[in-house]
Amino acid sequence: MVILTSVLTTGALTLTACGSRDNDSDKGGDSGSTTITIGVDAPLSGENSTTGLGIQYGVQIAVDDANKKNTVPGVKFAVKALDDKAQPANGQQNATALVGDKTVVGAVGPLNSGVAQSMQQVFASANMVQISPSNTNPTLTQGKDWQTKKTRPYKTYFRTATTDALQGGFAADYAYNGLKKKKAFVVDDKQTYGAGLAKIFNDTFKKVGGKIAGTDHVNTGDKDFGSLVTKIKNSGADILYYGGQYDESELITKQLKDAGVKIPLMGGDGMYATTYIQTAGKAAEGDLATAVGVPVDTLPAAKTFVETYKAKGYKGDYGAYGAYAYDAATAIINAVKAAKEANGGKLPSGNDLRAKVVEGVQKIDFEGISGHISFDEFGDTTNKQLTVYQVEKGAWKAVKTGTYNAS
């Protein structure tokens, strides 16, 4: 792909090669336009890459659509996608690389909440907007004491996904009142996302009347869960809740069922991927996962997006966060448009443009392909819809959609 090396203030723009992922942007828009880059950070290889690629290509389609429609006259958008491999250190390096590229006005990502923690300060220092389509840990927007006193740590950070405070409670309520499960065994992967989600499920399950049969932890990358399976079997639990990603849970459920423990495994949106079913096979039947929003395939506004994703043959899974990544990129694009219009039809220069985009995103209010897009005073999405999916006949099927009041 190509990106720009000169700063926006000069007006003299030179294209050079770059080492990031290829920009598959279709040609369109004004051929004599200024090119502005939207960064993407996600795991594009290794663990979690199925969902990470869905984020990358969700942004790509949004950029292609904006260029075709000439959404911002005189501006051509490009994508610079960097692979964090689901590692915080890589995410921080990528954030530094993105803010160092003077053509980048904002970034979409990352996938993982733990990676986001390593990136927020970097973007905030550069006053550049960051919108995650998938981070769900409440501390990212509401501070470490969010349960007692909400304080926004960074004005540059936003997300189009709702938080674990709602997702974990939604799951626990459905497990107890919907599935009629009374004893849950709770496991997490010790990571920011997984541990946080598991704790909220644990607390809420007890609050609604359930009992916790036991708790345990695993490490990311583990393959053998024999001792964990024994603990779960001996606990008498009628459901297993897992806080973490599909990489481990798809193996846990298989080993659990192989050992004759016929209870469902339930998890959060980090588990909601086609790869989970493909790897676990028949053992996945009956397992459940919560995810933000409503099924993208059921949204009329997302119909063209889904068709385009499939027609392009893009890798990864658009179902989890593709639409939310599309809307995150669109929010940045719309903020650029607003900044240009407010400046007499001219793009603000350099860092001023980044600052105006941050301000513009905070004021965003539009109908996206995933639902209504706007942000509250913490940078959280105002779209609180959630869905419980269950594996039926080798596919995820929505079994409950709604909202949850965490108070």
Side-chain angles (χ1 to χ4, degrees):
M1 87 172 231
V2 291
I3 62 166
L4 305 167
T5 54
S6 57
V7 296
L8 294 173
T9 53
T10 65
L13 300 168
T14 305
L15 297 176
T16 61
C18 109
S20 63
R21 291 259 169 167
D22 289 343
N23 175 10
D24 190 39
S25 183
D26 292 334
K27 294 181 179 179
D30 182 355
S31 60
S33 61
T34 297
T35 299
I36 287 177
T37 307
I38 295 177
V40 175
D41 175 86
L44 308 179
S45 63
E47 290 189 1
N48 311 159
S49 59
T50 295
T51 41
L53 289 167
I55 291 173
Q56 176 187 357
Y57 294 121
V59 173
Q60 188 67 64
I61 295 172
V63 163
D64 290 345
D65 285 349
N67 288 336
K68 288 176 181 177
K69 297 173 183 176
N70 200 23
T71 300
V72 185
V75 172
K76 175 77 176 293
F77 291 95
V79 176
K80 182 175 185 176
L82 303 178
D83 183 4
D84 64 31
K85 296 181 173 62
Q87 297 299 317
N90 292 336
Q92 187 175 54
Q93 292 171 4
N94 291 346
T96 301
L98 291 173
V99 302
D101 182 342
K102 299 301 183 181
T103 69
V104 178
V105 296
V108 176
L111 168 68
N112 308 86
S113 292
V115 176
Q117 288 181 325
S118 73
M119 304 176 77
Q120 286 181 304
Q121 180 63 57
V122 178
F123 287 120
S125 297
N127 202 14
M128 181 169 23
V129 74
Q130 173 189 13
I131 310 178
S132 173
S134 55
N135 294 162
T136 53
N137 190 281
T139 63
L140 297 171
T141 49
Q142 301 171 20
K144 61 183 179 64
D145 298 320
W146 64 272
Q147 290 176 303
T148 55
K149 183 181 179 181
K150 294 180 174 62
T151 303
R152 186 176 186 179
Y154 303 102
K155 70 173 185 178
T156 52
Y157 178 87
F158 301 80
R159 52 179 155 201
T160 51
T162 195
T163 74
D164 289 335
L166 301 182
Q167 184 179 193
F170 190 65
D173 181 75
Y174 185 77
Y176 185 80
N177 293 311
L179 299 175
K180 307 300 181 184
K181 301 300 182 182
K182 305 304 179 185
K183 294 179 66 177
F185 197 103
V186 181
V187 179
D188 69 72
D189 64 359
K190 306 179 187 177
Q191 302 301 304
T192 301
Y193 161 75
L197 185 59
K199 183 180 186 305
I200 293 167
F201 177 92
N202 186 320
D203 294 346
T204 307
F205 193 73
K206 289 187 292 185
K207 183 178 179 181
V208 297
K211 294 183 178 180
I212 301 301
T215 62
D216 207 346
H217 313 278
V218 299
N219 297 307
T220 57
D222 283 355
K223 305 295 182 184
D224 184 353
F225 300 100
S227 61
L228 173 63
V229 167
T230 299
K231 290 179 183 179
I232 297 169
K233 186 175 184 178
N234 293 338
S235 74
D238 54 12
I239 188 170
L240 167 63
Y241 187 83
Y242 179 74
Q245 306 289 339
Y246 61 82
D247 302 272
E248 287 73 41
S249 60
E250 62 195 17
L251 300 178
I252 293 173
T253 197
K254 193 172 188 305
Q255 293 174 32
L256 195 67
K257 308 298 172 49
D258 287 347
V261 186
K262 306 300 183 181
I263 64 173
L265 185 153
M266 187 178 198
D269 51 334
M271 222 178 83
Y272 177 55
T274 54
T275 303
Y276 177 84
I277 301 173
Q278 292 167 355
T279 301
K282 291 182 179 180
E285 285 293 315
D287 288 353
L288 306 106
T290 52
V292 298
V294 297
V296 66
D297 291 307
T298 69
L299 295 167
K303 184 174 183 293
T304 301
F305 167 79
V306 173
E307 291 174 348
T308 300
Y309 199 105
K310 292 179 178 178
K312 289 279 188 180
Y314 286 144
K315 296 179 180 179
D317 187 352
Y318 67 82
Y321 309 115
Y324 298 92
Y326 180 101
D327 284 339
T330 301
I332 295 173
I333 290 166
N334 287 351
V336 171
K337 180 179 181 180
K340 184 173 182 286
E341 291 175 346
N343 195 44
K346 296 181 180 179
L347 279 176
S349 59
N351 292 332
D352 189 38
L353 177 58
R354 287 180 173 179
K356 293 297 183 184
V357 169
V358 173
E359 294 173 9
V361 168
Q362 184 65 67
K363 299 174 183 176
I364 281 296
D365 193 330
F366 68 95
E367 291 300 324
I369 65 170
S370 66
H372 189 79
I373 305 300
S374 61
F375 303 100
D376 65 16
E377 68 270 30
F378 301 104
D380 283 324
T381 179
T382 57
N383 183 356
K384 308 298 184 183
Q385 289 287 102
L386 290 156
T387 300
V388 177
Y389 295 88
Q390 188 165 29
V391 180
E392 294 185 12
K393 298 179 180 179
W396 290 111
K397 180 181 178 181
V399 293
K400 180 179 175 60
T401 296
T403 57
Y404 181 77
N405 186 350
S407 61

